[in-house]
């Protein structure tokens, strides 16, 4: 059943999943009591340690470790949307009405050749199609087929400068009802950015990416959880650190307590 509550009310509730998720994750370590743990900084510290361990294991495996891919028979009839399903404001509505003809993806930061790419230019680049499972931090999963250009291809065109360490995705969806500057963002390191399965996706299940799933372009970082898959992209920024972006934690939800590394 569709949740009829206002979008921002649902978003505020979603923040509660963070603490609940931390509590569940530490239960196996001998720390018990979900309500107590949800506000227990020791429990949070344990999770942070687990995050570092998971990150270390993934990086030891390197870019060769692939997320599982599935068959066409596994594709869900409808790919479940989550979070923003239509960015607010006249700007996005105008781009949508014009078929995103005026939309551009900016690629800048620590690059030798900054880029301004139209959707048609991205679609003309070498593409990859993959059928993967989206795992949400809220506990649900969905399998879909994605088509897009590898992020590595775009980054190679832009030519990273020395000192580049992270890729920051800037999005068009406003996250706070009364704050027009509260635009979603996320980031990954260069291992995930250059991974074979990391896409700038413009198609879902053989059709143009629907608005509710992030049109015209979204990131697919298949070895990480759903909140690391930013939608409604308009800028890819290469940086040495993200300490001067947002609250300095590397993403909208990370600034509010989520782990920066969400590998699966």
């Amino acid at each position: 059943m569709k949740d009829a509550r206002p979008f921002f009310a649902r978003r505020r509730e979603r923040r509660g999943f963070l603490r609940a998720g931390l509590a569940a994750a530490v239960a196996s370590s001998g720390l018990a009591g979900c309500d107590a743990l949800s506000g227990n900084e020791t429990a949070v510290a344990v999770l942070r340690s687990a995050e570092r361990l998971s990150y270390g294991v993934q990086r030891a495996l390197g870019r060769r470790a692939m997320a599982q891919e599935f068959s066409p028979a596994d594709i869900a009839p409808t790919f479940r949307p989550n979070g923003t399903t239509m960015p607010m404001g006249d700007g996005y509505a105008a781009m949508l009405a014009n078929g995103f003809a005026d939309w551009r993806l900016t690629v800048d930061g620590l690059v030798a050749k900054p880029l301004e790419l139209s959707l048609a230019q991205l679609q003309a680049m070498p593409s990859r199609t993959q059928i993967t499972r989206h795992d949400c931090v809220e506990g649900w999963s969905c399998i879909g087929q994605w088509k897009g250009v590898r992020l590595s291809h775009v980054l190679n065109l832009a030519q990273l400068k020395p000192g580049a360490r992270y890729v920051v995705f800037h999005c068009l969806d406003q996250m706070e009802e009364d704050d027009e500057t509260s635009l979603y963002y996320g980031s990954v390191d260069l291992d995930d950015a250059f991974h074979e399965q990391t896409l700038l996706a413009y198609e879902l299940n053989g059709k143009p990416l629907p608005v509710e799933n992030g049109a015209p372009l979204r990131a697919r970082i298949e070895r990480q959880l759903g909140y690391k898959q930013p939608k409604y992209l308009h800028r890819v920024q290469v940086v040495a650190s993200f300490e001067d972006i947002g609250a300095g934690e590397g993403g909208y939800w990370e600034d509010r307590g989520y782990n920066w590394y969400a590998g699966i």
Side-chain angles (χ1 to χ4, degrees):
M1 179 179 296
K2 184 176 180 180
D3 193 335
R5 291 173 300 157
F7 169 62
F8 285 95
R10 286 182 280 121
R11 172 160 287 151
R12 286 191 293 270
E13 181 180 274
R14 185 171 189 256
R15 292 173 184 164
F17 280 101
L18 168 65
R19 290 295 185 179
L22 289 174
V26 298
S28 62
S29 68
L31 300 172
C34 288
D35 290 340
L37 287 175
S38 66
N40 187 313
E41 294 306 319
T42 300
V44 174
V46 170
L47 258 293
R48 294 297 187 191
S49 298
E51 175 194 16
R52 290 192 292 271
L53 176 61
S54 177
Y55 180 77
V57 170
Q58 283 272 23
R59 291 306 171 257
L61 292 172
R63 297 174 190 168
R64 294 170 296 173
M66 301 285 281
Q68 183 179 0
E69 296 193 22
F70 298 84
S71 74
D74 297 313
I75 296 173
T78 301
F79 192 90
R80 176 176 174 175
N82 196 36
T84 302
T85 54
M86 173 65 182
M88 63 178 63
D90 295 336
Y92 182 86
M95 286 189 286
L96 175 61
N98 197 29
F100 298 106
D102 298 325
W103 171 92
R104 296 292 184 271
L105 177 71
T106 299
V107 183
D108 62 4
L110 291 177
V111 299
K113 296 184 176 181
L115 304 172
E116 291 282 339
L117 299 169
S118 69
L119 185 58
Q121 287 175 310
L122 289 165
Q123 291 169 336
M125 293 178 182
S127 66
R128 174 181 169 87
T129 300
Q130 58 199 32
I131 301 173
T132 53
R133 186 182 64 222
H134 180 100
D135 293 310
C136 182
V137 70
E138 295 173 5
W140 56 268
S141 298
C142 196
I143 293 174
Q145 176 179 283
W146 305 95
K147 181 179 178 180
V149 57
R150 293 175 180 85
L151 177 58
S152 60
H153 180 81
V154 174
L155 295 177
N156 284 333
L157 291 177
Q159 299 181 12
L160 272 59
K161 290 183 177 180
R165 294 184 61 198
Y166 303 100
V167 172
V168 181
F169 303 98
H170 296 273
C171 307
L172 294 169
D173 49 331
Q174 180 179 325
M175 300 296 286
E176 305 295 336
E177 192 169 11
D178 300 318
D179 183 0
E180 294 182 357
T181 68
S182 63
L183 298 176
Y184 196 88
Y185 83 100
S187 64
V188 295
D189 65 11
L190 295 188
D191 273 330
D192 270 322
F194 279 87
H195 191 269
E196 174 76 6
Q197 294 170 307
T198 297
L199 302 183
L200 300 176
Y202 47 76
E203 284 188 14
L204 171 60
N205 295 341
K207 298 179 180 179
L209 191 63
V211 170
E212 61 268 26
N213 297 115
L217 194 73
R218 71 174 296 164
R220 292 302 307 171
I221 296 99
E222 301 295 358
R223 299 190 300 173
Q224 298 217 23
L225 289 172
Y227 68 88
K228 300 294 289 189
Q229 326 281 332
K231 302 191 293 185
Y232 313 108
L233 297 183
H234 76 97
R235 181 187 180 197
V236 171
Q237 179 187 16
V238 181
V239 300
S241 76
F242 31 71
E243 62 183 14
D244 296 326
I245 303 173
E249 299 298 329
Y252 175 84
W253 286 114
E254 292 89 328
D255 288 344
R256 288 153 181 80
Y258 277 49
N259 289 347
W260 174 76
Y261 182 70
I264 52 177

